[in-house]
Amino acid sequence: MELVVTRNFGRPESWTLASYREAGGYEALERVLKEMTPEDVSDLIKDSNLTGRGGAFFPTGLKWEFVRKDPKTPRYVVVNADESEPGTYVNRLSLELDPHMTIEGMIIAAYASNAERGYFYIRGEYGLSHERVKAALREAYEAGYLGQGICGRDDFNLEVEFRRGAGAYIVGEETALFNSLEGKRGNPRFKPPFPTNFGVWGLPTAINNVETLAAAPAIVMNGAEWFKDLGIGDAAGTKMYCLSGNVVNPVCVELPLGVTAREVIMDHGGGVPEGRTFKGFKPGGASSAPLTPAEIDASLEPKSMAELGTIMGTGGVVVFDDTACMVDAAYRDALFFEDESCGFCIPCREGTPNLVQICERIMHGQGTMDDLDLLEELGASMMASFCGLGHFAHQPVRGAASRFRDEFEAHIRDHYCAAGTCFTANGNGRAG
């Protein structure tokens, strides 16, 4: 399979400008500036069907076109590297091993959007990524790929500022990230207006995920049809899938978008440890509802996952074997979202701790069958949340209670945890 965004991984000092140039780096940018108009670039990206790889899967070229057509100036381009979804480490690997690919994609996005200012926003905990991105930005400035008169074009300038976040999951939401950039609390904003018209500092902004931007140079060099043909079925291009949990070989691997979960888990991950039984998996990180072994042949792409009542998300596949308790797994996800909720809106602020409390009751042998109905009602009410965190925070709990209902009922009815993880109601130690 032809690699797109990971093709330079494994090269000596792949994070340096010298190594990136040896592999053909910045040739796409030079072609764009010599042979293409901004309209040509956005049309090419639209034709390739490249969509956002951060979870939303919005058409990338269309986003750049919207920004370019807005009359307000200056326009901005922003790299969203605030990767905080548990089970996902795509951005970290890309920025540690090949930061220049994302920077080149960012510059191409700026040209297509007629943007002249930019921000590279990175998750605060990513120490090595932080160091290598800052070094790569310095190299790009020194080589004339950033700053004034890029590659000899007096009419194309791009000034980029590096910003490091403070570790808030909510800032992965684009409008919350804009507030953070502006020195405000990282709460989400009302939409509409949308970022393409009213982004950072209230100006038109093209904001893209690391993996999305990293794909742009290869599309410029190889064409739209080449990229589309890399995917499976109607899905275009490739995706970096992260694999973790109860699996023999935790790995991040670039595969065609639309590959089956079986190929990721069994072929690349080696399946569950010897002697264990495969119980299920989450296809899109912590915020996705878990699926069962019967659904392992489903395609890991947005449409297929939506039909199964879950999300593709960031492509962070988390595997469970029979040592995992699905009630406990749901509880841990609920704890995470309770902690990361910004508290701005009532459905999320009140809903996330209630999810935790219900799971705790069930785990401690104090739950009732009515709690399972309450989880459904609570999840439905959380769909009124202001942003995506609240919309998805209930999914891992509701999904687990639906697909693994027998485990939840065993905790409630029999005070029994097959995995031996949860405590019984009378406090006599771990059940099982």
Side-chain angles (χ1 to χ4, degrees):
M1 198 216 95
E2 197 161 0
L3 300 177
V4 179
V5 296
T6 65
R7 63 184 183 272
N8 295 331
F9 287 14
R11 287 179 57 85
E13 297 189 317
S14 59
W15 52 90
T16 64
L17 178 59
S19 179
Y20 188 60
R21 276 176 162 169
E22 287 177 3
Y26 290 105
E27 290 180 6
L29 175 62
E30 292 170 359
R31 175 179 291 185
V32 161
L33 297 182
K34 289 178 181 177
E35 303 175 10
M36 304 175 74
T37 65
E39 292 81 0
D40 291 336
V41 178
S42 60
D43 286 346
L44 172 67
I45 300 301
K46 283 194 295 183
D47 291 343
S48 74
N49 289 346
L50 173 65
T51 53
R53 295 317 200 229
F57 289 91
F58 185 84
T60 304
L62 192 61
K63 179 182 290 188
W64 297 354
E65 182 181 271
F66 286 160
V67 173
R68 185 180 67 248
K69 288 183 175 181
D70 193 290
K72 297 188 294 295
T73 58
R75 301 176 187 88
Y76 284 85
V77 60
V78 175
V79 178
N80 182 352
D82 190 69
E83 178 180 63
S84 305
E85 181 79 9
T88 306
Y89 43 97
V90 169
N91 293 357
R92 179 176 64 80
L93 286 179
S94 292
L95 298 181
E96 288 178 0
L97 298 176
D98 197 0
H100 278 285
M101 187 178 289
T102 300
I103 293 171
E104 184 177 13
M106 179 188 194
I107 302 167
I108 292 171
Y111 179 76
S113 306
N114 281 348
E116 58 188 65
R117 299 180 186 176
Y119 291 101
F120 203 118
Y121 190 102
I122 191 170
R123 179 181 176 181
E125 293 88 343
Y126 280 1
L128 182 56
S129 299
H130 165 247
E131 294 173 11
R132 288 185 172 168
V133 168
K134 289 193 75 172
L137 287 171
R138 285 195 299 269
E139 288 180 318
Y141 265 105
E142 291 167 0
Y145 296 125
L146 288 174
Q148 302 296 302
I150 294 174
C151 294
R153 284 279 299 262
D154 293 336
D155 60 342
F156 181 46
N157 312 308
L158 180 62
E159 300 291 346
V160 175
E161 293 184 39
F162 179 90
R163 296 291 178 87
R164 191 173 185 181
Y169 176 84
I170 187 63
V171 176
E173 197 279 333
E174 55 192 11
T175 62
L177 188 151
F178 296 152
N179 277 339
S180 177
L181 281 174
E182 295 172 10
K184 303 170 185 174
R185 180 182 173 89
N187 287 347
R189 300 174 178 175
F190 284 102
K191 288 190 289 188
F194 295 100
T196 51
N197 303 115
F198 192 90
V200 66
W201 308 112
L203 293 163
T205 303
I207 179 169
N208 291 108
N209 161 272
V210 167
E211 187 181 358
T212 310
L213 292 171
I219 295 172
V220 170
M221 297 303 293
N222 297 286
E225 291 302 318
W226 167 83
F227 186 76
K228 284 195 290 189
D229 289 345
L230 294 176
I232 296 175
D234 294 332
T238 63
K239 179 74 184 74
M240 290 176 69
Y241 294 97
C242 297
L243 186 61
S244 60
N246 303 132
V247 65
V248 172
N249 181 35
V251 68
C252 182
V253 58
E254 182 179 4
L255 296 168
L257 181 61
V259 70
T260 66
R262 179 185 297 277
E263 182 172 342
V264 176
I265 296 169
M266 299 302 178
D267 295 351
H268 295 274
V272 298
E274 185 176 357
R276 309 315 315 180
T277 302
F278 175 53
K279 178 180 281 190
F281 66 100
K282 293 166 73 71
S287 53
S288 61
L291 300 176
T292 68
E295 293 152 321
I296 194 172
D297 290 309
S299 298
L300 291 174
E301 55 85 25
K303 183 178 179 181
S304 296
M305 292 297 100
E307 290 172 351
L308 292 174
T310 187
I311 59 171
M312 169 71 190
T314 56
V317 180
V318 182
V319 178
F320 303 101
D321 66 15
D322 55 354
T323 64
C325 168
M326 298 309 293
V327 181
D328 178 64
Y331 169 66
R332 292 175 186 276
D333 288 334
L335 279 175
F336 173 80
F337 288 111
E338 178 191 30
D339 188 58
E340 294 296 341
S341 172
C342 72
F344 178 72
C345 68
I346 292 173
C348 184
R349 183 176 69 235
E350 300 301 321
T352 49
N354 271 280
L355 289 172
V356 171
Q357 292 163 14
I358 294 170
C359 288
E360 285 179 338
R361 286 204 298 269
I362 295 173
M363 292 170 68
H364 291 196
Q366 300 167 358
T368 68
M369 292 299 180
D370 289 340
D371 282 329
L372 300 182
D373 295 329
L374 184 57
L375 283 177
E376 285 296 318
E377 295 172 10
L378 184 58
S381 70
M382 289 179 67
M383 290 303 295
S385 298
F386 188 75
C387 79
L389 190 151
H391 297 161
F392 294 108
H394 59 92
Q395 297 282 5
V397 182
R398 289 176 75 188
S402 173
R403 279 186 165 82
F404 298 90
R405 190 178 180 91
D406 57 336
E407 285 196 40
F408 281 75
E409 291 184 350
H411 280 70
I412 294 168
R413 183 182 56 248
D414 305 323
H415 299 169
Y416 174 73
C417 174
T421 301
C422 304
F423 289 95
T424 57
N426 59 14
N428 64 352
R430 295 186 183 276

